[in-house]
Amino acid sequence: LNSSAFSHPPYFLLIGIPGLEKEQFWIAFPFCIMYGIALLGNISLLLAIRAEPSLHEPMYLFLAMLAFTDVVLSTSTVPKMLGIFWLGSGKTGFPSCLTQLFFIHTFSTVESGVLMAMALDRYVAICCPLWHSSILSVPVVGALGSLVLVRGVLLVSPTCLLLCRRHFCQQHVIPHSYCEHMALVKLACGDTRVNVIYGLFVTFLVAGTDLTLISVSYTMIVRVVTRLPSREARWKAFSTCTSHVCVILAFYTPALFTFLTHCFGQGISPHIHIMVANLYLLVPPMLNPIVYGVRTKKLWDRVVIL
């Protein structure tokens, strides 16, 4: 056998949305609008939080981390995706593909971690209000953000290193709109069990840890809020959490759907799976600034001034 057949291909070919090749030219327009809204919303949030000293509180600092993560996450996929849909430029070199994969998976992990940190912030604000500013001081918030970022880099880097060590057969067409871990693993030759097991381990570790901590935080919050004497106090406490709950649902619902379809969804048509995978990287970055901007008067007033 020719040994060059079992090496890294010079490029991969991303085909976009399998089964919707003709329609994807038009699908790109709403995607482009969503990306524009995501960029405008998140950059406005970042500028507003930076410019206003009264917004240098844990909740807004975590929100700034979320906005930055969303900008990176959507920018690492959407421009290339629009190039595929409009120009048919699906060719991507092996290093570019791995770089995109690294950014997508690292910042998805970071987003999950920031949502978990925001749940802890809500828990401390509602359950220990007098201690909130001393427990979650600015240095502590910064340290939490750094830990979340380092965790993402340390967990995702081995997936790229493992893929670098794999040989790829003649097949180099990726039936997807972006370079995603399992899509690349399926193109590798030989036994890919280590890649699959490590990918599952990271997914279960991140989602399991973060969702458990989010659930525990909200269980404690509900217990404290239901004991508050006045209905008005209960409503006020719950309303500070609704934005966060909306954002959690917008992020985890498509994420879990995408993950479960990879593992068990052989019966689900590829175009539905890829569409949800695309929306998973577009809908949360678009919705997060809208949800927080509209529901948080202090933030909305500052964004309007901008």
Side-chain angles (χ1 to χ4, degrees), residues 20-32 85-86:
L20 294 178
E21 286 86 353
K22 287 178 182 171
E23 292 85 355
Q24 63 193 23
F25 178 86
W26 301 107
I27 292 169
F29 286 97
F31 276 24
C32 187
F85 293 175
W86 277 333

Side-chain angles (χ1 to χ4, degrees), residues 254-276:
L256 291 172
F257 176 86
T258 303
F259 169 68
L260 292 170
T261 6
H262 260 314
C263 298
F264 315 107
Q266 280 71 32
I268 293 174
S269 55
H271 67 269
I272 292 174
H273 173 208
I274 304 302
M275 276 294 279
V276 173

Side-chain angles (χ1 to χ4, degrees), residues 225-281:
V225 171
T226 49
R227 289 182 194 151
L228 290 173
S230 75
R231 188 176 173 182
E232 192 182 331
R234 287 197 296 271
W235 173 249
K236 191 180 176 184
F238 272 131
S239 70
T240 66
C241 299
T242 48
S243 305
H244 187 238
V245 172
C246 292
V247 166
I248 287 168
L249 291 173
F251 176 75
Y252 279 109
T253 308
L256 291 172
F257 176 86
T258 303
F259 169 68
L260 292 170
T261 6
H262 260 314
C263 298
F264 315 107
Q266 280 71 32
I268 293 174
S269 55
H271 67 269
I272 292 174
H273 173 208
I274 304 302
M275 276 294 279
V276 173
N278 291 344
L279 292 171
Y280 155 62
L281 296 178

Side-chain angles (χ1 to χ4, degrees), residues 8 94 160-168:
H8 298 156
F94 185 76
C160 299
L161 295 172
L162 284 167
L163 279 168
C164 278
R165 297 184 62 184
R166 295 235 67 92
H167 295 302
F168 289 82

Side-chain angles (χ1 to χ4, degrees), residues 51-118:
E52 181 54 61
S54 71
L55 296 178
H56 296 174
E57 297 171 12
M59 175 182 160
Y60 301 109
L61 294 174
F62 285 129
L63 187 54
M65 291 177 201
L66 192 69
F68 175 75
T69 304
D70 283 337
V71 169
V72 175
L73 202 52
S74 53
T75 302
S76 60
T77 49
V78 181
K80 178 66 184 170
M81 202 187 291
L82 295 176
I84 297 165
F85 293 175
W86 277 333
L87 309 170
S89 59
K91 270 190 182 182
T92 183
F94 185 76
S96 307
C97 201
L98 270 193
T99 304
Q100 189 185 45
L101 181 151
F102 174 78
F103 274 95
I104 290 167
H105 291 290
T106 298
F107 280 89
S108 294
T109 304
V110 169
E111 178 131 357
S112 178
V114 172
L115 291 174
M116 178 263 290
M118 290 170 94

